[in-house]
Amino acid sequence: MIRAFLRDRIPLGRAPSMMAGGASFAHVFGTVLVFLLGIQALTGVALSAFYSPSTTDAWASVAYIQDQAAWGWLVRGIHYHGGTALVIIAGLHLLQTAISGAYKQPREVVWWLGVVLLVLLIAWSITGYWLRWDQAGYWASQVEIGIAAGTPVAGRAIRALALGGNEPGNLTLTRAYALHVIALPALVTLLTVFHIWLARRHGTTPTKVANTAVRRWPAQTVKDVIAMAIVFVVLLSVVIVQHGTDLAPPADPTTAYDARPLWPVRWLFELRVLAGGLEQLAAMAAPAIVGGFLLALPLLDHGTERRPMRRKLWLGALAGLFALIGALTVASFARDANDPELAKRLAKAEVLANRARKLAVANGVPVTGALDVYKTPRMWKARSLFATRCANCHDATSKERKGPVIAPGHGDRHWLTKFLQAPSDDAFWGKTKLAKTDAAMKPVELPASDLADLVELLYAESGAEGIDAAKRERGLKVFESACTDCHSREEGVAGASGPALAGLGSRDHYTSLISNPKSALHMGADHSEMPRFDRELTIVERDALAEYLVWLRTATEQDLRALGPL
Amino acid sequence: MADNDPDRRKFLKVATCALGGGVGLVAAVPVLRFVVDPATRTTVTTPGEPLDLGNVDRFRVGAPPRRVEVIAPMVKDGWTSARDVVLGAAWIRRTEPTKIEALSAVCPHLGCAIGWEGKDFLCPCHDSRFSVTGEKMSGPSERGLDPLPVQIKNGRLQLTWVRYRTGSSSREPA
């Protein structure tokens, strides 16, 4: 009996070369889908020649495709939006088939293959979205795997299989990659070939009752090609308008991101919101109900009647289902569009994404991972250390400043002059504990030329270039008469009551000062509130800060801004 | 002819299926076992010992929760190993000079990263809200935020990183 059933439905004879009912635009969907699959294969193979499935490289390789490889954005855009087109047109194909009653006996198997293919297409796009390993793809994968992990009984096993282990990592990506570029394409191709082979053997379901059979070529083919051209033009337009497609910042397991699923399953996201406490049930039951209904449709709507008006019940149910899914999808996008807080967070993420992509182009992505791309600007390490460890006491804008302001020009001739004239000015020692005591340095009162000579001498200690030797020579005499009561210029010798000035403003001097400001060579144990950093920071970190301070001496505010944000 | 001998035909059918099936099985079993291998082991190692989060003075009493990246000195991920890998984040709050509380930034609902919204924590994926102490206020999460074990040792804050199972009301390691 099963054999007889299958013999009718899987006829092994020759396919009819005539199309019953004549050529029609109603029959173009299948051909357009094959065309799109071809485009996906072509762009997909090209993309796979660039893509690198590892947690450290995935985002970097996608950013490279998008921003550096010739036409990379176009190929990536066609692949991304081509996936969208596939799902949309597969949906239309399904609707057309349903309306014309083409799933009816003996074409049920063709329909079932089609439904399975639609599900596979959606799974295909979801696995593709993960591969970006940007914030959007990464968090979508985490949530989707999280939902799958909620499956009764098998949940843990599904999670481990999908992740390829216990945590998201390299094996998560290699698996998603294997699925996306090998397993799913192979399966879809196999089922598609079977689907078409069967459909051809059964012949098209006539759209008109009158018998006007024509040859497929060229009457139908010309319509197919027109439809392909229209779809391709629309696809290209979208790709060009969007310059490919977006790329969020690199995956960051520490930073909140408004993850949203890819649009074909967006209706489930909205359903979860509406389902409240029953969300897990909704996430599992809804797709099962929709899939089950589609598979059962040829059995529910049986009989030979094909006219849509005579099949109101089942076509109505199908239309209702599609309308509901459409409404949920629209509602979800509308909710996000009307959320000003979300818009702010997304704008922030976009700024971050643009920065990461620019840095990736300019500096390359470190092999340690895409997140380290943020650390590639010059002196990033020192600046971030300064921001977290120094700025509170030394930044001009800090409300809790306790020490001298450190800003561009710190330690240059102008700065030294101003400092000598008023050491306890607010920008210098004014905020320190020292300034309020007798030990504070007194303003240096000297004729302008003597002061300039002294400044040249002190400035020369930093090892800076462009020193006026004559001025420095004269400055030495000024120093001897005005400063030596408290200060020493001799290497490694502390002054009587002030810091040693040997090498003042040099990288070594700063490293030593940062390491232990309470040393007798620097501020002394009683005069400084600055903590010692030799136990807090590594020598490499202290040296990086020292290098930064030396750089600041000749830098301007503009130079600092040009280094970019942290 | 022997070809028409029903017994012979039956034998050939059975033999063909047995041989073909056997070859298929021998090929399939190792492949299947190989493919599920990662699911049976710890592919990404996370250290079980307390991790250094820096000087405890960074956290001031009464200040709002502060996000700190939890960095493992060494992590193996499949065939690679890397130093200083960011495992995730914790929200740290110093309630008293000697008391520090840490909450995992992993949303207990489905594992997104939560953010501090000025008054409470928000998971932007499905809008679960949590109070400053981590109790669930609204949204689909079935439990509050997960506290992480912390200790102060020689003036430094140490935290033990644990990833809990998401999507359940009970708190058990994933």
Side-chain angles (χ1 to χ4, degrees):
Chain A
M1 200 187 98
I2 293 171
R3 225 174 248 213
F5 176 89
L6 287 178
R7 198 184 306 123
D8 280 352
R9 283 151 189 86
I10 308 175
L12 295 169
R14 273 195 70 216
S17 62
M18 304 296 280
M19 293 183 73
S24 164
F25 273 106
H27 297 317
V28 300
F29 296 107
T31 317
V32 172
L33 284 170
V34 172
F35 164 68
L36 284 173
L37 281 173
I39 294 215
Q40 292 304 86
L42 197 69
T43 50
V45 168
L47 288 168
S48 76
F50 288 79
Y51 181 75
S52 175
S54 75
T55 51
T56 48
D57 288 14
W59 183 91
S61 63
V62 177
Y64 184 89
I65 290 166
Q66 176 73 29
D67 296 325
Q68 296 188 64
W71 299 104
W73 63 272
L74 187 83
V75 175
R76 175 169 179 257
I78 292 176
H79 196 73
Y80 175 80
H81 294 294
T84 303
L86 263 177
V87 176
I88 291 175
I89 293 172
L92 293 175
H93 188 39
L94 181 134
L95 273 182
Q96 193 276 330
T97 308
I99 291 166
S100 62
Y103 49 61
K104 293 198 165 216
Q105 194 193 353
R107 296 184 175 83
E108 298 98 319
V109 176
V110 183
W111 169 265
W112 290 331
L113 284 169
V115 172
V116 171
L117 277 166
L118 178 59
V119 173
L120 288 178
L121 282 183
I122 293 170
W124 207 356
S125 31
I126 287 172
T127 50
Y129 199 48
W130 294 6
L131 295 182
R132 305 165 155 217
W133 219 241
D134 61 354
Q135 283 281 72
Y138 172 78
W139 288 114
S141 77
Q142 293 308 290
V143 173
E144 279 147 12
I145 292 173
I147 291 169
T151 311
V153 188
R156 273 172 190 257
I158 292 174
R159 177 179 185 271
L161 280 171
L163 284 177
N166 56 320
E167 295 260 340
N170 284 323
L171 279 153
T172 316
L173 272 171
T174 48
R175 286 177 162 242
Y177 191 55
L179 274 179
H180 187 77
V181 307
I182 298 183
L184 282 168
L187 194 57
V188 168
T189 305
L190 214 66
L191 294 184
T192 302
V193 167
F194 191 31
H195 178 79
I196 295 171
W197 182 80
L198 264 188
R200 284 295 164 93
R201 254 146 201 82
H202 286 303
T204 45
T205 309
T207 46
K208 299 181 207 89
V209 180
N211 188 15
T212 50
V214 297
R215 283 188 184 283
R216 180 174 282 275
W217 168 266
Q220 179 61 42
T221 317
V222 72
K223 290 191 163 62
D224 291 345
V225 173
I226 289 170
M228 277 185 215
I230 293 171
V231 168
F232 194 60
V233 167
V234 172
L235 176 59
L236 265 188
S237 313
V238 173
V239 171
I240 289 167
V241 167
Q242 295 202 10
H243 193 75
T245 187
D246 64 324
L247 181 63
D252 179 356
T254 69
T255 305
Y257 187 81
D258 294 82
R260 296 290 182 267
L262 212 52
W263 71 270
V265 283
R266 192 65 184 260
W267 62 281
L268 286 171
F269 177 82
E270 186 65 11
L271 199 62
R272 295 171 67 84
V273 177
L274 299 178
L278 298 171
E279 51 154 17
Q280 198 70 33
L281 190 69
M284 299 277 163
I289 290 170
V290 173
F293 173 74
L294 289 177
L295 288 176
L297 202 52
L299 307 177
L300 297 169
D301 179 23
H302 54 81
T304 52
E305 180 59 72
R306 286 221 175 87
R307 280 168 296 180
M309 294 316 283
R310 298 287 176 86
R311 296 155 51 227
K312 280 182 192 145
L313 173 63
W314 295 116
L315 283 189
L318 184 69
L321 200 62
F322 266 63
L324 188 67
I325 289 174
L328 285 169
T329 307
V330 170
S332 181
F333 280 104
R335 181 202 301 276
D336 278 359
N338 293 321
D339 185 343
E341 291 302 313
L342 174 72
K344 268 187 229 160
R345 294 195 296 266
L346 288 180
K348 258 194 204 164
E350 200 182 335
V351 169
L352 203 60
N354 287 335
R355 195 194 319 158
R357 283 166 63 175
K358 271 200 194 119
L359 288 171
V361 173
N363 305 336
V365 176
V367 289
T368 46
L371 279 176
D372 286 344
V373 79
Y374 298 121
K375 304 178 182 175
T376 57
R378 219 177 139 204
M379 283 183 290
W380 184 90
K381 183 82 199 156
R383 285 193 297 140
S384 69
L385 281 171
F386 188 88
T388 52
R389 298 307 181 86
C390 318
N392 200 43
C393 292
H394 288 291
D395 194 85
T397 58
S398 167
K399 288 195 188 85
E400 295 166 29
R401 184 162 65 83
K402 285 184 188 165
V405 171
I406 296 177
H410 180 81
D412 68 1
R413 290 186 182 92
H414 178 73
W415 187 93
L416 285 167
T417 311
K418 291 283 167 201
F419 175 81
L420 291 173
Q421 286 170 335
S424 289
D425 183 83
D426 182 73
F428 303 115
W429 297 115
K431 291 244 192 282
T432 62
K433 189 173 79 172
L434 176 72
K436 288 153 199 116
T437 67
D438 292 341
M441 177 171 159
K442 306 288 175 294
V444 175
E445 283 159 6
L446 286 171
S449 68
D450 283 0
L451 186 63
D453 292 343
L454 179 61
V455 163
E456 197 69 8
L457 172 80
L458 293 176
Y459 187 64
E461 288 294 333
S462 66
E465 286 176 14
I467 299 299
D468 184 330
K471 269 176 105 176
R472 180 182 174 277
E473 209 53 42
R474 293 197 297 275
L476 209 50
K477 294 201 182 72
V478 181
F479 184 84
E480 293 295 340
S481 64
C483 313
T484 44
D485 281 356
C486 304
H487 297 286
S488 149
R489 263 190 68 251
E490 211 175 312
E491 192 70 46
V493 176
S497 63
L501 300 182
L504 180 76
S506 67
R507 188 155 158 180
D508 282 351
H509 170 260
Y510 281 133
T511 310
S512 164
L513 176 68
I514 294 164
S515 297
N516 185 8
K518 292 179 166 59
S519 149
L521 283 176
H522 300 297
M523 302 309 300
D526 308 331
H527 297 150
S528 175
E529 280 190 281
M530 178 166 157
R532 49 191 298 180
F533 282 93
D534 51 356
R535 291 166 194 155
E536 274 294 300
L537 303 175
T538 66
I539 183 68
V540 176
E541 289 171 328
R542 280 173 274 149
D543 179 59
L545 277 171
E547 182 194 15
Y548 174 59
L549 292 175
V550 169
W551 178 81
L552 270 184
R553 185 172 63 225
T554 51
T556 62
E557 286 288 349
Q558 211 175 351
D559 296 334
L560 190 58
R561 272 197 303 277
L563 292 180
L566 284 170
Chain B
M1 278 296 287
D3 277 357
N4 292 328
D5 179 355
D7 285 346
R8 182 181 151 83
R9 282 176 58 85
K10 193 174 179 193
F11 167 76
L12 282 176
K13 277 184 190 172
V14 171
T16 307
C17 290
L19 189 62
V23 169
L25 206 66
V26 169
V29 166
V31 170
L32 278 177
R33 178 62 190 86
F34 170 64
V35 167
V36 301
D37 169 77
T40 63
R41 62 170 79 216
T42 304
T43 50
V44 182
T45 62
T46 46
E49 69 270 13
L51 301 168
D52 184 65
L53 293 191
N55 196 317
V56 75
D57 293 336
R58 292 166 70 195
F59 308 98
R60 271 171 294 164
V61 178
R66 178 167 162 182
R67 196 192 68 168
V68 178
E69 291 188 344
V70 181
I71 297 171
M74 173 76 92
V75 164
K76 285 207 292 182
D77 175 3
W79 43 87
T80 64
S81 71
R83 290 176 185 283
D84 301 329
V85 174
V86 178
L87 296 173
W91 287 90
I92 310 287
R93 201 164 60 98
R94 194 170 188 176
T95 49
E96 288 166 34
T98 56
K99 221 176 145 210
I100 288 199
E101 289 171 3
L103 295 168
S104 170
V106 179
C107 178
H109 176 223
L110 285 170
C112 285
I114 54 154
W116 174 249
E117 292 286 296
K119 289 198 304 285
D120 45 28
F121 292 106
L122 170 72
C123 176
C125 288
H126 303 102
D127 287 339
S128 288
R129 274 186 193 277
F130 307 91
S131 73
V132 66
T133 53
E135 280 140 64
K136 187 199 143 183
M137 293 162 69
S138 64
S141 180
E142 290 187 45
R143 62 170 192 264
L145 293 175
D146 301 317
L148 295 171
V150 278
Q151 59 184 41
I152 300 170
K153 202 172 174 188
N154 300 328
R156 300 191 70 88
L157 184 65
Q158 297 187 326
L159 175 140
T160 310
W161 180 251
V162 191
R163 192 181 269 277
Y164 293 99
R165 194 175 159 199
T166 57
S168 72
S169 52
S170 65
R171 191 168 285 138
E172 46 189 308

